[in-house]
Amino acid sequence: MHSNLALIKRYQEFLPVSDKTPIVSLGEGNTPLVAARNLPGALGYPQLSLSFKLEGLNPTGSFKDRGMTLAISKAVEARARAVICASTGNTSASAAAFATKAGLTCYVLLPAGHVALGKLAQAILYGARVIALAGNFDVALDMVRALADENNLTVVNSINPFRLEGQKTAAFEVVEQLGRAPDYLFIPVGNAGNISAYWRGFKTYKEARRADSTPKMFGFEAEGSAAMVRGQPIANPETIASAIRIGNPASWQEAARAAQESNGKIDSVSDQEILEAYALLAKHEGIFCEPSSAASLAGLIKHLKLGTVIKDATITCVLTGNGLKDPNTALELVKADLSPVAPDPSKLKEVMQL
Ligand code: AN7
């Protein structure tokens, strides 16, 4: 329904826009919610009603496009000169794409050596002014805050209030696609904006009587960068899940409230648990997400084992980004023998063990 409309138009009544707001759209939103077929059984929980929200199918390959369409549209409306963001990769890819469509200059500060290859390629090709910073994401965000005001740059990180407003539309879609709110939502946590945005969205739909209930919100940090779980910022966060390698989440308070109000939890998963979930999604469901995204499923598996989750619950895992962004992690995880084989049927028969 209305799937050809820009996301902002589709949900205009719930967003801070007017008919005069100049909409910058790349065809974002309306992503598939796909029911799991094999995983519940494979995990030993066949009664589970499990679905995946495939946010990697947004135009730049992540959920960031939902917030960026609004942030950039509002920047154009406010006659901004240029935009800036710090990013672990996906925000920069999204900002660069929407800014270029709007005709705005886009500056991005990336933690040098810690951004997945595809995200870097995107930001560069979309034409952003890419700076590899000698520092991690948290330092990059500090630099953005220091530079923005006096240089008249509009910040499009999630500290820009329009970002989370746009991102809450994902919760609207989940409710529409399931025909109800799920019992539980499992989601990765980095800067803690997305879990906050989903919670806003679910609450909004309940208040608008478009849903009877709200889900318990379960958010997962990577163990090596789990500031919220530890209760203090981490100066040197580490994880293979580079998108959520963040030691001082900007939306900490709102995310903590989301977990508390919904009777959910902010927890952590190890890199090994993340990589196992990442491989399971590909192997059992034909879903290639990025490692950080698999923190949602890793968290679900952890809490199924802990017995937190009702066995026949309706559960949605948010898969925030596309696996194609980070092919290196996939190839390092599964070493395939790719030495050339002669184009000879009998030789092939032998290799294929037919
Ligand atoms: C795939 O791009 O922070 O908790 O700078 O790319 O809302 O931060 C990305 C975060 C999850 C965490 N999954 O979401 C950035 C950035 C993927 C991500 C998150 C990110 P938040």
Side-chain angles (χ1 to χ4, degrees):
M1 211 179 26
H2 309 312
S3 61
N4 54 340
L5 279 180
L7 184 70
I8 292 175
K9 278 286 169 206
R10 200 147 48 96
Y11 294 115
Q12 183 167 344
E13 65 185 291
F14 297 108
L15 296 173
V17 290
S18 73
D19 288 333
K20 292 198 198 91
T21 307
I23 291 176
V24 184
S25 171
L26 291 170
E28 61 289 331
N30 201 31
T31 57
L33 184 80
V34 174
R37 179 189 170 100
N38 303 314
L39 263 175
L43 295 171
Y45 300 89
Q47 319 279 15
L48 220 54
S49 175
L50 176 61
S51 59
F52 300 105
K53 182 68 170 156
L54 302 187
E55 288 292 277
L57 276 78
N58 274 295
T60 78
S62 85
F63 71 97
K64 302 286 182 182
D65 294 343
R66 294 178 183 279
M68 208 55 75
T69 182
L70 191 59
I72 297 292
S73 296
K74 295 298 281 189
V76 172
E77 188 172 34
R79 302 188 188 286
R81 181 176 75 86
V83 301
I84 186 168
C85 65
S87 181
T88 58
N90 280 325
T91 296
S92 67
S94 187
F98 281 91
T100 209
K101 185 145 183 182
L104 293 172
T105 302
C106 177
Y107 298 91
V108 308
L109 301 188
L110 305 177
H114 292 279
V115 173
L117 201 61
K119 303 174 188 180
L120 194 57
Q122 285 180 288
I124 293 169
L125 206 67
Y126 292 137
R129 310 273 278 272
V130 176
I131 295 125
L133 187 77
N136 62 29
F137 170 84
D138 304 288
V139 176
L141 189 56
D142 287 344
M143 293 299 109
V144 165
R145 291 186 211 259
L147 288 166
D149 280 353
E150 64 183 82
N151 295 288
N152 193 18
L153 302 169
T154 300
V155 178
V156 293
N157 282 103
S158 54
I159 54 177
N160 176 318
F162 301 118
R163 278 278 312 279
L164 298 193
E165 284 298 293
Q167 281 173 220
K168 77 186 180 190
T169 60
F172 300 164
E173 291 180 13
V174 168
V175 170
E176 284 153 12
Q177 289 167 313
L178 273 179
R180 54 166 287 196
D183 300 319
Y184 299 83
L185 189 92
F186 281 74
I187 186 168
V189 171
N191 222 10
N194 210 26
I195 187 171
S196 306
Y198 269 84
W199 183 236
R200 286 188 200 179
F202 286 123
K203 281 195 299 187
T204 298
Y205 255 29
K206 174 128 190 287
E207 282 156 21
R209 297 176 180 276
R210 294 197 182 196
D212 296 333
S213 62
T214 53
K216 294 183 170 63
M217 304 291 290
F218 277 72
F220 293 86
E221 300 183 295
E223 210 165 79
S225 51
M228 292 182 67
V229 173
R230 287 195 216 170
Q232 59 183 49
I234 296 173
N236 295 301
E238 276 308 340
T239 169
I240 189 163
S242 60
I244 55 173
R245 187 174 173 271
I246 294 172
N248 191 13
S251 297
W252 184 317
Q253 299 306 331
E254 189 172 346
R257 273 202 307 279
Q260 193 209 335
E261 287 173 14
S262 71
N263 290 315
K265 194 175 171 76
I266 306 291
D267 198 358
S268 65
V269 281
S270 69
D271 279 7
Q272 193 185 331
E273 288 170 316
I274 287 172
L275 288 174
E276 279 169 14
Y278 167 74
L280 283 171
L281 278 162
K283 195 174 164 189
H284 289 284
E285 299 292 347
I287 294 173
F288 190 26
C289 67
E290 58 177 287
S292 301
S293 304
S296 60
L297 177 64
L300 172 60
I301 293 171
K302 176 175 177 178
H303 279 270
L304 283 169
K305 288 181 188 159
L306 287 171
T308 321
V309 176
I310 300 161
K311 306 255 179 310
D312 61 353
T314 297
I315 298 177
T316 298
C317 286
V318 181
L319 300 181
T320 45
N322 198 305
L324 295 171
K325 286 172 175 276
D326 187 6
N328 293 341
T329 300
L331 292 172
E332 280 159 23
L333 184 67
V334 182
K335 302 260 189 284
D337 178 6
L338 296 175
S339 47
V341 178
D344 165 6
S346 63
K347 178 66 187 163
L348 282 166
K349 191 173 170 206
E350 180 194 321
V351 173
M352 292 163 80
Q353 300 172 338
L354 292 174

